[in-house]
Amino acid sequence: MQKPLWWIKWTRYEYWPVWFFFLPPTILFWPILAIRARALLYFTAANPGIPLGGFFGEKKFDIIKSIPKQYLPQTLLIEHSQLNNAAILIAEQQFSYPLIVKPNVGERGNDVAKVENEAQLIKQLERYTGDVIVQEFITHPEEYGVMFYKLPDDSKCGITSIVKKGFLTATGDGKSTLIDLLEKNDRARFQLPSLAQKPSVNLNEVLPAGEKRLIEPIGNHCKGTAFIYGNHLVTNELIAEFKKIADAMPGFYFGRFDIKAPSDEALQKGQGIKVMEVNGTTSEPGHIYDMQAMNLWKSYRDIYRNMYTICTIAIMNHRQFGVPYSSKKEFLTTLYGHFFKNRR
């Protein structure tokens, strides 16, 4: 007998609401680190090249635009006022379908979509209230989240987390419908309401025996992707490659790179990396959500280690290089603009 989804949601911390999951470490660790830095908003100085250090509301295109082109997919920013002409702009830049479209400001993979043609593109663009990023779809089979840091005095750098993405798939047996197959997977069961709304997914289709079908190509936890522990993939070659990328990004010292690569082996050698997105100080070390390799205590331990690294970077930026901490007024104004005004 299957367990009800509400039971799974509350007994597996990977499904907890984000505010609930992060409340204990925030309450425990933030005051300690704020005392160490002598500033409540110490984290805002960690990435001076990103507003508020990338705590929230940062514009994704502004962060990635300085990354060397060999690491980036073909990317286009379309301002909200231009969305009606998006198909023309995309054709002028000679993009090929399928494409990835996503809001320039967003969190946790919300409203990220793969579109197969112009009709799907136009329909997806109707969902957005702000500027939109369009990217070519990278066909590398493996996707990762890599948490990287470097100290402002260039004395140390490293990778604190690698998570490998396990996309939502189903394997046919020649007699079961797709919905029957997905209902056997607890992770997939959470996605059934949204999958039922996708024209590209026929839940009544019977998959041939042995056929493995990719159900969701977007590698976000909220879309059914499994987050798999990957810290064993860290190598000196990989650290050096991310150091090159980070050095090209003015005012960037800590964050998570969402990337694709041809294989684990290529990743370890720093080869074939394509950066799709970079997040700032509120980046989550995605490996913590692999509950086969981690538990709640280990997850909070690793969250604290990342918070401590952010604090160390922010203090160094502030005391040695004069980077100011954001004022409470600036922080609250940005907070209001992010959550209560249109995101542009």
Side-chain angles (χ1 to χ4, degrees):
M1 181 178 176
Q2 288 183 323
K3 296 177 181 177
L5 290 179
W6 66 263
W7 175 262
I8 296 171
K9 183 175 181 178
W10 288 106
T11 56
R12 294 182 61 86
Y13 67 80
E14 65 169 311
Y15 294 117
W16 290 355
V18 62
W19 67 266
F20 184 81
F21 176 73
F22 280 97
L23 188 62
T26 301
I27 292 174
L28 289 172
F29 305 143
W30 173 56
I32 296 172
L33 296 174
I35 291 171
R36 178 173 178 249
R38 301 177 187 175
L40 289 174
L41 303 178
Y42 67 87
F43 47 85
T44 60
N47 289 318
I50 307 174
L52 302 183
F55 185 73
F56 60 76
E58 66 271 20
K59 295 180 179 180
K60 299 179 184 300
F61 185 79
D62 288 348
I63 301 174
I64 66 171
K65 66 183 181 181
S66 57
I67 294 176
K69 292 188 181 300
Q70 68 263 31
Y71 298 107
L72 284 178
Q74 184 183 8
T75 302
L76 175 67
L77 175 68
I78 302 179
E79 296 180 359
H80 185 252
S81 60
Q82 299 176 303
L83 289 185
N84 289 337
N85 298 318
I88 297 173
L89 297 173
I90 289 169
E92 289 176 349
Q93 296 297 317
Q94 298 183 330
F95 277 85
S96 298
Y97 289 94
L99 300 172
I100 297 295
V101 292
K102 54 190 172 183
N104 193 27
V105 178
E107 295 89 19
R108 300 178 68 83
N110 292 324
D111 287 329
V112 180
K114 179 185 177 185
V115 297
E116 301 287 347
N117 50 54
E118 185 175 319
Q120 289 185 14
L121 170 71
I122 293 171
K123 185 174 182 179
Q124 180 65 25
L125 291 178
E126 293 174 355
R127 300 171 58 93
Y128 301 127
T129 60
D131 299 346
V132 173
I133 293 175
V134 176
Q135 290 182 325
E136 68 171 309
F137 179 72
I138 300 299
T139 57
H140 290 336
E142 305 297 348
E143 186 170 327
Y144 311 85
V146 179
M147 190 83 80
F148 175 85
Y149 78 93
K150 65 173 185 173
L151 296 185
D153 64 359
D154 223 22
S155 61
K156 188 178 180 181
C157 66
I159 291 172
T160 63
S161 172
I162 294 183
V163 62
K164 185 175 180 178
K165 311 291 185 68
F167 294 98
L168 184 61
T169 61
T171 302
D173 59 10
K175 54 185 179 181
S176 300
T177 63
L178 183 57
I179 192 170
D180 290 335
L181 296 172
L182 293 175
E183 283 181 341
K184 297 176 183 178
N185 181 332
D186 288 340
R187 193 176 302 279
R189 288 169 62 203
F190 282 103
Q191 304 304 316
L192 287 177
S194 60
L195 290 175
Q197 304 300 317
K198 294 183 68 170
S200 59
V201 177
N202 180 4
L203 293 176
N204 295 314
E205 179 183 2
V206 176
L207 298 188
E211 179 181 327
K212 187 175 182 179
R213 177 74 59 84
L214 176 64
I215 305 300
E216 177 53 71
I218 305 300
N220 296 109
H221 192 269
C222 66
K223 293 181 179 290
T225 300
F227 280 14
I228 303 167
Y229 184 93
N231 288 0
H232 59 283
L233 299 174
V234 177
T235 63
N236 290 332
E237 292 172 285
L238 184 60
I239 293 172
E241 198 68 15
F242 273 96
K243 177 69 160 52
K244 291 179 186 177
I245 299 172
D247 283 348
M249 302 169 65
F252 177 84
Y253 297 98
F254 181 94
R256 190 189 69 238
F257 292 79
D258 293 334
I259 69 167
K260 281 193 171 184
S263 64
D264 289 354
E265 294 74 22
L267 177 73
Q268 289 180 300
K269 295 176 183 178
Q271 297 175 349
I273 292 172
K274 289 292 185 179
V275 178
M276 299 174 293
E277 190 172 301
V278 182
N279 297 278
T281 55
T282 50
S283 302
E284 299 163 280
H287 73 273
I288 65 176
Y289 294 113
D290 184 346
M291 294 185 62
Q292 293 186 342
M294 303 290 289
N295 56 40
L296 189 60
W297 165 250
K298 290 179 180 179
S299 296
Y300 283 164
R301 176 202 63 191
D302 287 0
I303 288 171
Y304 171 72
R305 288 174 176 172
N306 277 284
M307 292 175 69
Y308 185 87
T309 299
I310 292 169
C311 185
T312 299
I313 292 170
I315 289 173
M316 185 176 291
N317 268 331
H318 181 71
R319 296 179 183 174
Q320 296 187 26
F321 300 99
V323 176
Y325 300 127
S326 296
S327 66
K328 296 180 182 66
K329 180 180 179 180
E330 178 188 6
F331 184 84
L332 293 174
T333 299
T334 305
L335 181 71
Y336 173 79
H338 177 63
F339 287 106
F340 299 102
K341 292 184 177 181
N342 289 336
R343 298 177 181 181
R344 297 296 176 89

